[in-house]
Amino acid sequence: MTNKSLDCKQLNCPMPIVKISQAMKEMSAGETLEVEATDAAFQADLTAWVKQMGHELVEFSSGPIQRAIIKKGQATKK
Amino acid sequence: MTAGGKNARTAEIDPALLEYIEQIVTAKIAERIEAGGQAEQSEEQPGKTGTSDRATLVVFSSDMDKLMASFVIATGAASMGMKVSMYFAFWGLGVLKKKSVFRNKSITEKLMTLMLPCGTNGLNVSKMNMMGMGPAFFKHVMREKKISTLPELMNVAKEMGVRMIACQMSMEVMGIKQEDLLDGLDYGGVATYLADARDSKITLFI
């Protein structure tokens, strides 16, 4: 089970990343966030974002609706 | 010994006087802290991320497509924890206008005010403008594809603490006064931009 879930379906660039970053701000390290999205660039954007911010992409499944689980990193870049 | 001596001296001073001194010192310190805090705030205001990671954008164009690209990059950078500053110069200032004010302006300023776009309406696109039909067409397509509109992106940028700075010199040229522009803007010149750009990993001219 994840700590929080976020619906980013139908949202396009840059909104999924914007929403995720806002949601992440309210979470503490080690907590997980589940995201559903339909944006075509979602996987590429999310992978880059997670790497930049020091979080971890625990799970990713593609398909018409992409599903990702992100774990908030310990030493996240503020 | 010395400590004891000091105590002895303190005891001699009138307690009322001590209290008075204490009050003044506290007030002065509070004043200093407030002033210092404000200075720090204005400096750290963008994003309050506390990192040296910055993105600085010069928004020169008033084309809807270029403005959208600017705000997509700005909101994206803010999401990545960067401090973002957007400098609006020349045609870019139009999008920051909340209304066209004609009062207390010279004839040339009034003319400029009349001709410049105001806000996010009436903007052109840089290609396929088709005598003004282009923007409507693009808006329609973007609505269909559920892409955030320019006003939405601007709101998101504001919420995320993207700093927006209006170029004073351009305002002078374009006959734009602060009362024409949106609230919550900063005002600056080339040095403000360069000081920011020098510390930025990303700087763009759009």
Side-chain angles (χ1 to χ4, degrees), chain B residues 89-149:
Chain B
F90 282 86
W91 312 111
L93 280 171
V95 78
L96 297 182
K97 276 168 76 175
K98 65 175 173 202
K99 57 181 176 189
S100 294
V101 179
F102 294 97
R103 237 180 329 115
N104 300 327
K105 282 185 182 175
S106 69
I107 298 283
T108 48
E109 282 174 344
K110 278 180 183 158
L111 260 173
M112 287 298 257
T113 307
L114 190 68
M115 290 190 300
L116 267 177
C118 176
T120 52
N121 289 320
L123 298 173
N124 291 331
V125 283
S126 62
K127 293 256 192 298
M128 291 169 59
N129 194 45
M130 301 179 287
M131 318 273 274
M133 272 162 58
F137 170 71
F138 276 108
K139 275 183 195 166
H140 172 76
V141 170
M142 288 193 292
R143 199 165 33 239
E144 221 167 46
K145 306 223 182 241
K146 296 208 167 63
I147 289 165
S148 308
T149 60

Side-chain angles (χ1 to χ4, degrees), chain A residues 4 8-11 15 22 24 34 42 47 49 51-53 57 61 64-66 74:
Chain A
K4 210 171 172 182
C8 292
K9 292 193 289 284
Q10 307 296 328
L11 291 179
M15 293 319 289
Q22 281 169 343
M24 273 290 194
E34 182 183 3
F42 184 64
T47 313
W49 182 82
K51 198 178 155 203
Q52 284 281 313
M53 303 298 286
L57 186 56
S61 59
I65 295 172
Q66 303 161 83
Q74 288 291 344

Side-chain angles (χ1 to χ4, degrees), chain A residues 15-49:
Chain A
M15 293 319 289
I17 292 297
V18 168
K19 295 253 181 219
I20 293 170
S21 78
Q22 281 169 343
M24 273 290 194
K25 271 185 196 152
E26 287 154 23
M27 293 167 57
S28 21
E31 286 189 333
T32 46
L33 174 73
E34 182 183 3
V35 189
E36 286 187 330
T38 50
D39 180 18
F42 184 64
Q43 185 171 10
D45 270 8
L46 187 66
T47 313
W49 182 82

Side-chain angles (χ1 to χ4, degrees), chain A residues 14-15, chain B residues 68 71-72 75 148-157:
Chain A
M15 293 319 289
Chain B
M68 284 202 60
F71 280 98
V72 167
T75 49
S148 308
T149 60
L150 185 53
E152 282 166 12
L153 286 170
M154 284 180 76
N155 274 334
V156 173

